[in-house]
Amino acid sequence: MTHLPKSSPPPGSSLPILPAVPAQSAPPARPSGTGSGPAASPPPAPRRTAFAEGLDQLRAAATTEPGRLRVIGALLALLVVSFGAVTAWQMTDRAAAADDVLTSSQPLSSDAADIYRSLADANTAASSGFLAGGQETAASRDRYEKDIRTAADKLVNAAANADPDSPSTETIAKLNKLLPEYKGLVERARTYNRQGFPVGGAYLRYANEKMQQQMLPAAEDLYKKENQRLRADYADATPYPWAAIALGVAALAALAWAQHRNYRRTNRVLNQGLVAATATATVVLLWLVVGHSVARAGLDDSYDHGVRSLNVLHDARIASLKARGNENLTLVARGAETKKVGAQTYDAYDYDFRTDMADLGKYLADAANLADDTSGERPVTAAVGNMAEWKKRHTAAREQDENGNYQQALDRVIGTKGATGECFDSVDANLRTALAHEETEFKRAAGDGRDALTGLSAGAAVLAVLGAAGAVLGIGRRLSEYR
Protein backbone atom coordinates (compact mmCIF):
# COMPACT_ATOMS: atom_id res chain seq x y z
CA MET A 1 0.00 0.00 0.00
CA THR A 2 1.30 3.44 -0.92
CA HIS A 3 1.44 6.00 1.88
CA LEU A 4 0.57 9.47 0.82
CA PRO A 5 2.42 12.22 2.52
CA LYS A 6 0.46 14.39 4.86
CA SER A 7 -0.40 17.67 3.34
CA SER A 8 0.61 20.73 5.17
CA PRO A 9 -0.06 24.32 4.39
CA PRO A 10 2.64 26.23 2.70
CA PRO A 11 4.75 28.46 4.83
CA GLY A 12 3.07 31.70 5.68
CA SER A 13 -0.42 30.35 4.90
CA SER A 14 -3.23 31.13 7.33
CA LEU A 15 -5.38 28.11 6.51
CA PRO A 16 -6.18 25.87 9.47
CA ILE A 17 -4.86 22.47 9.67
CA LEU A 18 -7.76 20.01 9.21
CA PRO A 19 -7.70 16.75 11.09
CA ALA A 20 -7.53 13.59 9.15
CA VAL A 21 -10.87 12.02 8.31
CA PRO A 22 -11.02 8.44 9.40
CA ALA A 23 -12.02 5.92 6.84
CA GLN A 24 -15.76 5.06 6.95
CA SER A 25 -16.54 1.50 7.52
CA ALA A 26 -19.00 -0.17 5.23
CA PRO A 27 -22.57 -0.58 6.52
CA PRO A 28 -23.32 -3.95 8.00
CA ALA A 29 -24.60 -6.46 5.61
CA ARG A 30 -28.42 -6.86 5.57
CA PRO A 31 -29.48 -10.27 6.66
CA SER A 32 -30.42 -12.44 3.79
CA GLY A 33 -34.11 -12.68 3.09
CA THR A 34 -35.06 -9.31 4.58
CA GLY A 35 -35.67 -7.62 1.31
CA SER A 36 -34.46 -4.35 0.08
CA GLY A 37 -37.17 -2.06 1.67
CA PRO A 38 -36.84 0.17 4.75
CA ALA A 39 -36.81 -1.29 8.25
CA ALA A 40 -40.32 -2.19 9.70
CA SER A 41 -41.67 0.30 12.40
CA PRO A 42 -43.68 -0.82 15.47
CA PRO A 43 -47.54 -0.54 15.16
CA PRO A 44 -49.02 2.78 16.47
CA ALA A 45 -50.65 2.76 19.92
CA PRO A 46 -54.50 2.67 19.82
CA ARG A 47 -56.15 6.10 20.09
CA ARG A 48 -57.80 6.78 23.47
CA THR A 49 -61.49 7.63 23.72
CA ALA A 50 -62.65 11.21 24.03
CA PHE A 51 -64.08 10.43 27.45
CA ALA A 52 -60.76 9.09 28.72
CA GLU A 53 -58.88 12.09 27.33
CA GLY A 54 -61.45 14.45 28.86
CA LEU A 55 -61.10 12.66 32.17
CA ASP A 56 -57.33 13.05 32.03
CA GLN A 57 -57.69 16.73 31.24
CA LEU A 58 -60.14 17.15 34.12
CA ARG A 59 -57.82 15.30 36.47
CA ALA A 60 -54.90 17.42 35.35
CA ALA A 61 -56.95 20.60 35.76
CA ALA A 62 -58.04 19.53 39.22
CA THR A 63 -54.45 19.53 40.38
CA THR A 64 -54.47 23.32 40.12
CA GLU A 65 -56.51 25.71 42.22
CA PRO A 66 -58.33 27.30 39.23
CA GLY A 67 -59.27 23.83 38.00
CA ARG A 68 -60.55 22.83 41.39
CA LEU A 69 -62.61 26.00 41.61
CA ARG A 70 -64.22 25.30 38.23
CA VAL A 71 -65.17 21.78 39.35
CA ILE A 72 -66.58 23.09 42.63
CA GLY A 73 -68.61 25.77 40.83
CA ALA A 74 -70.08 23.27 38.39
CA LEU A 75 -71.03 20.84 41.16
CA LEU A 76 -72.62 23.57 43.27
CA ALA A 77 -74.69 24.83 40.34
CA LEU A 78 -75.79 21.29 39.45
CA LEU A 79 -76.79 20.53 43.04
CA VAL A 80 -78.82 23.73 43.46
CA VAL A 81 -80.57 23.31 40.10
CA SER A 82 -81.37 19.66 40.91
CA PHE A 83 -82.84 20.75 44.24
CA GLY A 84 -85.09 23.28 42.52
CA ALA A 85 -86.13 20.86 39.77
CA VAL A 86 -87.07 18.05 42.15
CA THR A 87 -88.91 20.49 44.42
CA ALA A 88 -90.90 21.87 41.48
CA TRP A 89 -91.73 18.36 40.26
CA GLN A 90 -92.87 16.98 43.61
CA MET A 91 -94.84 20.08 44.55
CA THR A 92 -96.57 20.16 41.16
CA ASP A 93 -97.78 16.60 41.70
CA ARG A 94 -98.98 17.31 45.24
CA ALA A 95 -100.69 20.56 44.28
CA ALA A 96 -102.54 18.77 41.46
CA ALA A 97 -103.64 15.99 43.82
CA ALA A 98 -104.80 18.54 46.41
CA ASP A 99 -106.81 20.35 43.73
CA ASP A 100 -108.37 17.03 42.66
CA VAL A 101 -109.41 16.39 46.26
CA LEU A 102 -111.22 19.72 46.43
CA THR A 103 -112.68 20.02 42.93
CA SER A 104 -112.98 16.49 41.57
CA SER A 105 -112.81 13.37 43.71
CA GLN A 106 -114.72 14.61 46.78
CA PRO A 107 -117.55 16.20 44.75
CA LEU A 108 -117.82 12.99 42.72
CA SER A 109 -117.93 10.98 45.95
CA SER A 110 -120.76 13.20 47.17
CA ASP A 111 -122.51 12.80 43.81
CA ALA A 112 -122.27 9.02 44.14
CA ALA A 113 -123.82 9.28 47.62
CA ASP A 114 -126.56 11.50 46.19
CA ILE A 115 -127.27 8.91 43.50
CA TYR A 116 -127.73 6.28 46.19
CA ARG A 117 -129.84 8.62 48.33
CA SER A 118 -132.01 9.71 45.39
CA LEU A 119 -132.69 6.14 44.34
CA ALA A 120 -133.51 5.06 47.89
CA ASP A 121 -135.73 8.11 48.43
CA ALA A 122 -137.51 7.52 45.11
CA ASN A 123 -138.23 3.98 46.22
CA THR A 124 -139.57 5.28 49.54
CA ALA A 125 -141.73 7.91 47.82
CA ALA A 126 -143.09 5.27 45.42
CA SER A 127 -144.13 2.98 48.27
CA SER A 128 -145.69 5.90 50.19
CA GLY A 129 -147.68 6.92 47.12
CA PHE A 130 -148.79 3.35 46.58
CA LEU A 131 -150.07 3.13 50.15
CA ALA A 132 -152.04 6.33 49.65
CA GLY A 133 -153.68 4.81 46.54
CA GLY A 134 -156.03 7.22 44.86
CA GLN A 135 -155.30 9.77 47.59
CA GLU A 136 -151.64 10.14 46.64
CA THR A 137 -150.67 13.76 47.13
CA ALA A 138 -149.00 15.94 44.55
CA ALA A 139 -146.11 16.48 46.96
CA SER A 140 -145.45 12.74 47.15
CA ARG A 141 -145.57 12.39 43.38
CA ASP A 142 -143.30 15.41 42.88
CA ARG A 143 -140.83 14.02 45.40
CA TYR A 144 -140.61 10.76 43.46
CA GLU A 145 -140.14 12.54 40.14
CA LYS A 146 -137.52 14.88 41.58
CA ASP A 147 -135.53 11.96 42.99
CA ILE A 148 -135.58 10.18 39.62
CA ARG A 149 -134.40 13.35 37.84
CA THR A 150 -131.68 13.93 40.43
CA ALA A 151 -130.39 10.38 40.05
CA ALA A 152 -130.38 10.70 36.24
CA ASP A 153 -128.56 14.07 36.32
CA LYS A 154 -125.96 12.81 38.79
CA LEU A 155 -125.35 9.75 36.63
CA VAL A 156 -124.76 11.98 33.61
CA ASN A 157 -122.30 14.09 35.60
CA ALA A 158 -120.51 10.99 36.92
CA ALA A 159 -120.23 9.57 33.40
CA ALA A 160 -118.76 12.84 32.11
CA ASN A 161 -116.09 12.93 34.84
CA ALA A 162 -115.21 9.22 34.92
CA ASP A 163 -112.26 7.88 32.92
CA PRO A 164 -113.42 5.79 29.94
CA ASP A 165 -111.58 2.68 31.17
CA SER A 166 -112.27 3.16 34.89
CA PRO A 167 -114.31 0.60 36.90
CA SER A 168 -116.90 3.29 37.61
CA THR A 169 -117.88 3.58 33.94
CA GLU A 170 -119.37 0.08 33.82
CA THR A 171 -121.34 0.69 37.02
CA ILE A 172 -122.71 3.98 35.69
CA ALA A 173 -123.79 2.29 32.46
CA LYS A 174 -125.55 -0.42 34.46
CA LEU A 175 -127.49 2.12 36.52
CA ASN A 176 -128.45 4.07 33.40
CA LYS A 177 -129.95 0.87 32.00
CA LEU A 178 -131.80 -0.14 35.19
CA LEU A 179 -133.28 3.28 35.99
CA PRO A 180 -135.90 3.37 33.19
CA GLU A 181 -136.77 -0.29 33.87
CA TYR A 182 -137.47 0.54 37.51
CA LYS A 183 -139.51 3.58 36.60
CA GLY A 184 -141.64 1.49 34.23
CA LEU A 185 -142.41 -1.04 36.96
CA VAL A 186 -143.46 1.71 39.37
CA GLU A 187 -145.78 3.24 36.79
CA ARG A 188 -147.44 -0.13 36.18
CA ALA A 189 -147.87 -0.63 39.92
CA ARG A 190 -149.54 2.78 40.23
CA THR A 191 -151.80 2.16 37.27
CA TYR A 192 -153.07 -1.18 38.58
CA ASN A 193 -153.35 0.20 42.11
CA ARG A 194 -155.58 3.08 40.97
CA GLN A 195 -157.80 0.55 39.22
CA GLY A 196 -158.01 -1.53 42.39
CA PHE A 197 -156.17 -4.57 41.01
CA PRO A 198 -154.10 -6.48 43.61
CA VAL A 199 -151.44 -7.15 40.99
CA GLY A 200 -150.27 -3.59 41.57
CA GLY A 201 -148.71 -4.67 44.85
CA ALA A 202 -146.82 -7.43 43.07
CA TYR A 203 -145.40 -4.95 40.56
CA LEU A 204 -144.32 -2.63 43.36
CA ARG A 205 -142.60 -5.47 45.20
CA TYR A 206 -140.87 -6.44 41.96
CA ALA A 207 -139.72 -2.83 41.50
CA ASN A 208 -138.49 -2.81 45.08
CA GLU A 209 -136.53 -6.03 44.49
CA LYS A 210 -134.90 -4.50 41.43
CA MET A 211 -134.01 -1.46 43.50
CA GLN A 212 -132.77 -3.38 46.56
CA GLN A 213 -130.96 -6.21 44.78
CA GLN A 214 -129.55 -4.50 41.70
CA MET A 215 -129.70 -0.72 41.69
CA LEU A 216 -128.78 0.14 45.26
CA PRO A 217 -125.88 -2.37 45.35
CA ALA A 218 -124.59 -0.87 42.09
CA ALA A 219 -124.96 2.65 43.51
CA GLU A 220 -123.17 1.56 46.67
CA ASP A 221 -120.37 0.07 44.56
CA LEU A 222 -120.04 3.37 42.68
CA TYR A 223 -119.92 5.22 46.00
CA LYS A 224 -117.14 2.95 47.27
CA LYS A 225 -115.11 3.34 44.08
CA GLU A 226 -115.33 7.13 44.22
CA ASN A 227 -114.25 7.02 47.86
CA GLN A 228 -111.26 4.91 46.86
CA ARG A 229 -110.39 7.51 44.25
CA LEU A 230 -110.68 10.22 46.91
CA ARG A 231 -108.37 8.33 49.28
CA ALA A 232 -105.87 7.84 46.44
CA ASP A 233 -105.80 11.61 45.81
CA TYR A 234 -105.19 12.21 49.51
CA ALA A 235 -102.37 9.64 49.42
CA ASP A 236 -100.77 11.55 46.50
CA ALA A 237 -101.16 14.98 48.10
CA THR A 238 -99.98 14.42 51.67
CA PRO A 239 -96.63 12.46 51.70
CA TYR A 240 -93.57 14.50 52.62
CA PRO A 241 -91.28 15.32 49.63
CA TRP A 242 -88.26 13.56 51.12
CA ALA A 243 -86.24 13.60 47.88
CA ALA A 244 -86.51 17.39 47.58
CA ILE A 245 -85.76 17.90 51.27
CA ALA A 246 -82.67 15.65 51.07
CA LEU A 247 -81.36 17.54 48.02
CA GLY A 248 -81.98 20.86 49.77
CA VAL A 249 -79.98 19.79 52.83
CA ALA A 250 -77.18 18.48 50.57
CA ALA A 251 -77.10 21.76 48.60
CA LEU A 252 -76.84 23.84 51.78
CA ALA A 253 -74.11 21.59 53.17
CA ALA A 254 -72.12 21.86 49.92
CA LEU A 255 -72.48 25.66 49.87
CA ALA A 256 -71.39 25.90 53.50
CA TRP A 257 -68.36 23.73 52.78
CA ALA A 258 -67.40 25.84 49.74
CA GLN A 259 -67.57 29.06 51.77
CA HIS A 260 -65.54 27.55 54.59
CA ARG A 261 -62.92 26.41 52.06
CA ASN A 262 -62.86 29.88 50.55
CA TYR A 263 -62.35 31.43 53.98
CA ARG A 264 -59.46 29.12 54.84
CA ARG A 265 -57.61 30.02 51.62
CA THR A 266 -58.32 33.75 51.44
CA ASN A 267 -59.28 34.79 54.99
CA ARG A 268 -62.32 36.47 53.44
CA VAL A 269 -65.45 35.85 55.47
CA LEU A 270 -68.05 36.41 52.75
CA ASN A 271 -68.31 35.63 49.07
CA GLN A 272 -71.31 37.50 47.74
CA GLY A 273 -72.22 34.95 45.09
CA LEU A 274 -72.05 31.98 47.43
CA VAL A 275 -73.96 33.88 50.11
CA ALA A 276 -76.71 34.65 47.58
CA ALA A 277 -76.86 31.00 46.53
CA THR A 278 -77.08 29.92 50.18
CA ALA A 279 -79.86 32.42 50.85
CA THR A 280 -81.97 31.27 47.90
CA ALA A 281 -81.50 27.58 48.76
CA THR A 282 -82.47 28.30 52.37
CA VAL A 283 -85.61 30.16 51.27
CA VAL A 284 -86.66 27.30 48.98
CA LEU A 285 -86.06 24.67 51.66
CA LEU A 286 -87.98 26.61 54.32
CA TRP A 287 -90.79 27.36 51.89
CA LEU A 288 -90.92 23.70 50.95
CA VAL A 289 -91.03 22.37 54.51
CA VAL A 290 -93.39 25.00 55.95
CA GLY A 291 -95.68 25.17 52.91
CA HIS A 292 -96.08 21.44 52.63
CA SER A 293 -96.57 21.05 56.39
CA VAL A 294 -99.37 23.63 56.34
CA ALA A 295 -100.92 21.96 53.28
CA ARG A 296 -100.68 18.54 54.87
CA ALA A 297 -102.29 19.82 58.08
CA GLY A 298 -105.16 21.37 56.11
CA LEU A 299 -105.74 18.25 54.05
CA ASP A 300 -105.57 15.98 57.09
CA ASP A 301 -108.10 18.22 58.85
CA SER A 302 -110.36 18.15 55.79
CA TYR A 303 -110.28 14.36 55.87
CA ASP A 304 -110.65 13.83 59.63
CA HIS A 305 -113.34 16.45 60.19
CA GLY A 306 -114.77 16.64 56.69
CA VAL A 307 -114.64 13.50 54.60
CA ARG A 308 -115.05 11.06 57.50
CA SER A 309 -118.02 13.00 58.87
CA LEU A 310 -119.55 13.29 55.40
CA ASN A 311 -119.23 9.55 54.80
CA VAL A 312 -120.86 8.69 58.12
CA LEU A 313 -123.68 11.17 57.56
CA HIS A 314 -124.27 9.86 54.03
CA ASP A 315 -124.44 6.33 55.45
CA ALA A 316 -126.88 7.48 58.14
CA ARG A 317 -129.12 9.17 55.60
CA ILE A 318 -129.12 6.10 53.38
CA ALA A 319 -129.96 3.86 56.36
CA SER A 320 -132.91 6.09 57.27
CA LEU A 321 -134.18 5.97 53.68
CA LYS A 322 -133.91 2.20 53.54
CA ALA A 323 -135.70 1.93 56.89
CA ARG A 324 -138.53 4.14 55.65
CA GLY A 325 -138.90 2.11 52.46
CA ASN A 326 -139.03 -1.18 54.36
CA GLU A 327 -141.55 0.29 56.79
CA ASN A 328 -143.85 1.19 53.90
CA LEU A 329 -143.38 -2.17 52.20
CA THR A 330 -144.38 -3.93 55.41
CA LEU A 331 -147.87 -2.56 54.86
CA VAL A 332 -147.78 -3.06 51.09
CA ALA A 333 -146.90 -6.75 51.37
CA ARG A 334 -149.33 -7.43 54.26
CA GLY A 335 -147.31 -10.38 55.48
CA ALA A 336 -146.74 -11.89 52.03
CA GLU A 337 -142.96 -11.81 52.50
CA THR A 338 -141.43 -13.61 55.48
CA LYS A 339 -137.91 -14.34 56.68
CA LYS A 340 -136.84 -17.15 58.97
CA VAL A 341 -134.01 -16.43 61.40
CA GLY A 342 -133.16 -19.43 63.51
CA ALA A 343 -136.40 -20.84 64.86
CA GLN A 344 -138.24 -17.52 64.48
CA THR A 345 -140.21 -16.33 61.46
CA TYR A 346 -140.48 -12.58 60.88
CA ASP A 347 -142.09 -10.28 58.42
CA ALA A 348 -139.26 -9.79 55.93
CA TYR A 349 -139.66 -6.03 55.51
CA ASP A 350 -140.16 -5.36 59.22
CA TYR A 351 -137.03 -7.39 60.00
CA ASP A 352 -135.05 -5.31 57.48
CA PHE A 353 -136.52 -2.14 58.99
CA ARG A 354 -135.15 -3.05 62.42
CA THR A 355 -131.75 -3.84 60.91
CA ASP A 356 -131.70 -0.48 59.12
CA MET A 357 -132.65 1.37 62.31
CA ALA A 358 -129.81 -0.34 64.18
CA ASP A 359 -127.41 0.82 61.45
CA LEU A 360 -128.86 4.33 61.66
CA GLY A 361 -128.23 4.45 65.41
CA LYS A 362 -124.61 3.35 64.93
CA TYR A 363 -123.96 5.91 62.20
CA LEU A 364 -125.49 8.73 64.24
CA ALA A 365 -123.30 7.81 67.22
CA ASP A 366 -120.22 7.92 64.99
CA ALA A 367 -121.31 11.26 63.52
CA ALA A 368 -121.74 12.72 67.03
CA ASN A 369 -118.22 11.61 67.96
CA LEU A 370 -116.73 13.13 64.81
CA ALA A 371 -118.53 16.47 65.17
CA ASP A 372 -115.96 19.02 66.38
CA ASP A 373 -118.24 22.01 67.02
CA THR A 374 -121.74 22.84 68.19
CA SER A 375 -123.01 23.57 64.67
CA GLY A 376 -122.12 20.05 63.58
CA GLU A 377 -123.24 18.32 66.76
CA ARG A 378 -126.64 19.98 67.18
CA PRO A 379 -128.43 18.49 64.10
CA VAL A 380 -126.97 15.04 64.82
CA THR A 381 -128.32 15.16 68.37
CA ALA A 382 -131.72 16.22 67.05
CA ALA A 383 -131.68 13.31 64.58
CA VAL A 384 -131.01 10.90 67.44
CA GLY A 385 -134.13 12.19 69.22
CA ASN A 386 -136.17 11.90 66.02
CA MET A 387 -135.02 8.31 65.59
CA ALA A 388 -136.06 7.37 69.12
CA GLU A 389 -139.55 8.80 68.53
CA TRP A 390 -139.71 7.04 65.18
CA LYS A 391 -139.13 3.68 66.86
CA LYS A 392 -141.94 4.31 69.35
CA ARG A 393 -144.44 5.25 66.65
CA HIS A 394 -143.39 2.31 64.49
CA THR A 395 -144.00 -0.09 67.37
CA ALA A 396 -147.49 1.36 67.85
CA ALA A 397 -148.22 1.02 64.13
CA ARG A 398 -147.09 -2.59 64.09
CA GLU A 399 -149.37 -3.38 67.03
CA GLN A 400 -152.35 -2.00 65.11
CA ASP A 401 -151.44 -3.96 61.99
CA GLU A 402 -150.93 -7.22 63.89
CA ASN A 403 -154.31 -6.72 65.57
CA GLY A 404 -156.01 -6.43 62.19
CA ASN A 405 -156.44 -2.66 62.26
CA TYR A 406 -154.83 -1.98 58.90
CA GLN A 407 -156.24 1.51 58.38
CA GLN A 408 -155.11 2.62 61.85
CA ALA A 409 -151.66 1.22 61.12
CA LEU A 410 -151.61 3.02 57.78
CA ASP A 411 -152.56 6.32 59.43
CA ARG A 412 -149.72 5.90 61.93
CA VAL A 413 -147.24 5.43 59.05
CA ILE A 414 -148.32 7.88 56.32
CA GLY A 415 -150.87 10.01 58.17
CA THR A 416 -150.68 13.78 58.39
CA LYS A 417 -150.23 13.99 62.18
CA GLY A 418 -148.38 11.81 64.65
CA ALA A 419 -147.17 9.42 61.91
CA THR A 420 -143.76 7.85 61.53
CA GLY A 421 -143.37 9.84 58.31
CA GLU A 422 -142.93 13.01 60.41
CA CYS A 423 -140.05 11.41 62.29
CA PHE A 424 -138.43 10.24 59.06
CA ASP A 425 -138.73 13.70 57.53
CA SER A 426 -137.18 15.25 60.67
CA VAL A 427 -134.28 12.77 60.64
CA ASP A 428 -133.65 13.47 56.96
CA ALA A 429 -133.83 17.25 57.41
CA ASN A 430 -131.39 17.21 60.33
CA LEU A 431 -128.99 14.98 58.46
CA ARG A 432 -129.19 17.31 55.46
CA THR A 433 -128.30 20.25 57.75
CA ALA A 434 -125.35 18.33 59.22
CA LEU A 435 -124.13 17.39 55.74
CA ALA A 436 -124.23 21.01 54.59
CA HIS A 437 -122.18 22.07 57.63
CA GLU A 438 -119.57 19.35 57.15
CA GLU A 439 -119.38 20.12 53.44
CA THR A 440 -118.51 23.72 54.29
CA GLU A 441 -115.89 22.58 56.81
CA PHE A 442 -114.35 20.26 54.25
CA LYS A 443 -114.12 22.94 51.56
CA ARG A 444 -112.53 25.40 53.99
CA ALA A 445 -109.87 22.98 55.26
CA ALA A 446 -109.11 21.43 51.85
CA GLY A 447 -108.98 24.88 50.25
CA ASP A 448 -106.48 26.07 52.87
CA GLY A 449 -104.36 23.00 52.23
CA ARG A 450 -104.36 23.49 48.48
CA ASP A 451 -103.67 27.23 48.73
CA ALA A 452 -100.61 26.61 50.93
CA LEU A 453 -98.93 25.05 47.87
CA THR A 454 -99.77 27.95 45.55
CA GLY A 455 -96.68 29.29 43.76
CA LEU A 456 -94.29 26.86 45.44
CA SER A 457 -93.37 24.96 42.27
CA ALA A 458 -92.69 28.05 40.15
CA GLY A 459 -91.00 29.89 43.01
CA ALA A 460 -88.67 26.97 43.72
CA ALA A 461 -87.64 26.75 40.06
CA VAL A 462 -86.90 30.49 39.76
CA LEU A 463 -85.00 30.68 43.05
CA ALA A 464 -82.97 27.60 42.16
CA VAL A 465 -81.84 29.19 38.89
CA LEU A 466 -80.90 32.36 40.75
CA GLY A 467 -79.04 30.32 43.36
CA ALA A 468 -77.10 28.41 40.72
CA ALA A 469 -76.18 31.70 39.02
CA GLY A 470 -74.99 33.08 42.35
CA ALA A 471 -72.80 30.04 42.96
CA VAL A 472 -71.23 30.32 39.50
CA LEU A 473 -70.60 34.08 39.89
CA GLY A 474 -69.11 33.58 43.33
CA ILE A 475 -66.67 30.99 42.06
CA GLY A 476 -66.00 33.14 38.98
CA ARG A 477 -64.89 36.01 41.17
CA ARG A 478 -62.28 33.79 42.81
CA LEU A 479 -61.13 32.58 39.41
CA SER A 480 -60.61 36.17 38.26
CA GLU A 481 -57.87 36.54 40.87
CA TYR A 482 -55.72 34.03 38.94
CA ARG A 483 -55.80 35.89 35.65
Side-chain angles (χ1 to χ4, degrees):
M1 180 180 292
T2 305
H3 296 280
L4 296 176
K6 296 180 180 179
S7 60
S8 59
S13 173
S14 61
L15 295 175
I17 300 175
L18 297 176
V21 178
Q24 295 182 352
S25 60
R30 185 183 305 274
S32 61
T34 59
S36 59
S41 59
R47 182 176 178 82
R48 304 183 66 200
T49 64
F51 176 77
E53 292 179 355
L55 190 62
D56 286 344
Q57 293 175 1
L58 184 63
R59 188 181 296 111
T63 60
T64 64
E65 181 61 14
R68 284 191 287 267
L69 287 173
R70 291 189 182 94
V71 172
I72 291 172
L75 291 177
L76 288 177
L78 178 62
L79 196 56
V80 173
V81 169
S82 299
F83 169 45
V86 173
T87 299
W89 164 54
Q90 291 193 311
M91 289 301 99
T92 297
D93 287 348
R94 282 158 177 76
D99 185 68
D100 286 342
V101 165
L102 182 62
T103 62
S104 178
S105 52
Q106 197 283 324
L108 286 175
S109 176
S110 292
D111 283 349
D114 286 340
I115 290 172
Y116 194 114
R117 186 203 62 78
S118 298
L119 292 175
D121 192 55
N123 199 46
T124 299
S127 60
S128 297
F130 185 91
L131 287 173
Q135 298 179 350
E136 181 181 9
T137 64
S140 176
R141 178 75 180 186
D142 290 343
R143 180 172 181 170
Y144 167 81
E145 294 292 345
K146 180 181 178 182
D147 287 331
I148 294 295
R149 286 195 303 271
T150 299
D153 291 343
K154 296 291 184 180
L155 284 171
V156 170
N157 186 52
N161 288 279
D163 296 330
D165 56 347
S166 68
S168 299
T169 303
E170 184 178 352
T171 305
I172 295 169
K174 180 180 179 180
L175 285 170
N176 277 324
K177 178 183 177 182
L178 291 172
L179 187 59
E181 295 177 3
Y182 169 81
K183 189 175 180 181
L185 291 172
V186 171
E187 292 305 321
R188 287 187 181 184
R190 281 177 168 163
T191 300
Y192 287 126
N193 187 46
R194 284 194 296 267
Q195 295 174 358
F197 295 149
V199 72
Y203 271 104
L204 187 64
R205 290 196 300 273
Y206 184 38
N208 178 72
E209 288 177 4
K210 184 177 286 291
M211 177 64 73
Q212 298 290 343
Q213 298 177 11
Q214 298 182 52
M215 299 179 69
L216 290 183
E220 184 178 9
D221 182 59
L222 178 63
Y223 178 52
K224 289 180 178 178
K225 287 173 180 175
E226 294 301 336
N227 274 339
Q228 290 174 357
R229 178 179 174 181
L230 176 60
R231 286 192 294 270
D233 286 337
Y234 269 105
D236 291 338
T238 54
Y240 276 107
W242 292 116
I245 292 174
L247 279 173
V249 172
L252 287 177
L255 287 166
W257 171 82
Q259 291 176 86
H260 179 68
R261 181 181 184 277
N262 184 59
Y263 170 72
R264 290 181 60 187
R265 282 165 171 74
T266 64
N267 288 326
R268 296 170 185 167
V269 177
L270 298 177
N271 178 292
Q272 294 178 352
L274 294 180
V275 170
T278 304
T280 56
T282 302
V283 169
V284 173
L285 184 59
L286 289 176
W287 191 1
L288 170 65
V289 173
V290 175
H292 186 269
S293 296
V294 173
R296 181 187 174 95
L299 290 171
D300 286 344
D301 182 59
S302 72
Y303 186 84
D304 292 336
H305 301 107
V307 173
R308 290 178 62 194
S309 295
L310 287 170
N311 288 343
V312 169
L313 290 169
H314 281 308
D315 291 339
R317 200 175 184 192
I318 289 168
S320 71
L321 288 165
K322 291 170 69 175
R324 179 60 176 171
N326 284 316
E327 184 178 45
N328 289 340
L329 288 168
T330 302
L331 296 176
V332 172
R334 298 191 180 188
E337 301 288 340
T338 59
K339 177 180 292 187
K340 191 170 184 179
V341 181
Q344 296 286 333
T345 301
Y346 300 92
D347 183 286
Y349 296 114
D350 188 56
Y351 182 87
D352 290 340
F353 167 83
R354 296 179 187 279
T355 302
D356 294 333
M357 291 298 281
D359 291 339
L360 175 59
K362 180 174 69 69
Y363 293 138
L364 289 176
D366 291 341
N369 292 330
L370 290 171
D372 58 346
D373 56 15
T374 305
S375 298
E377 187 177 0
R378 186 184 300 114
V380 175
T381 303
V384 172
N386 299 144
M387 182 188 66
E389 181 63 24
W390 185 359
K391 288 181 178 179
K392 293 179 182 178
R393 295 184 183 184
H394 175 80
T395 301
R398 291 302 304 144
E399 289 176 356
Q400 294 293 331
D401 188 32
E402 290 171 357
N403 291 331
N405 301 321
Y406 180 79
Q407 187 59 48
Q408 287 83 346
L410 189 64
D411 292 340
R412 290 178 181 272
V413 173
I414 64 170
T416 57
K417 186 177 181 181
T420 59
E422 292 180 349
C423 299
F424 163 72
D425 290 338
S426 297
V427 169
D428 193 67
N430 282 310
L431 289 176
R432 186 166 56 249
T433 301
L435 279 166
H437 172 74
E438 296 300 336
E439 187 80 23
T440 302
E441 291 293 299
F442 162 79
K443 290 181 178 179
R444 177 193 58 77
D448 290 344
R450 182 195 61 179
D451 294 344
L453 300 176
T454 301
L456 180 51
S457 299
V462 172
L463 289 174
V465 171
L466 294 177
V472 171
L473 291 175
I475 296 298
R477 184 169 182 178
R478 283 281 292 120
L479 282 171
S480 66
E481 299 173 359
Y482 290 89
R483 295 169 187 162

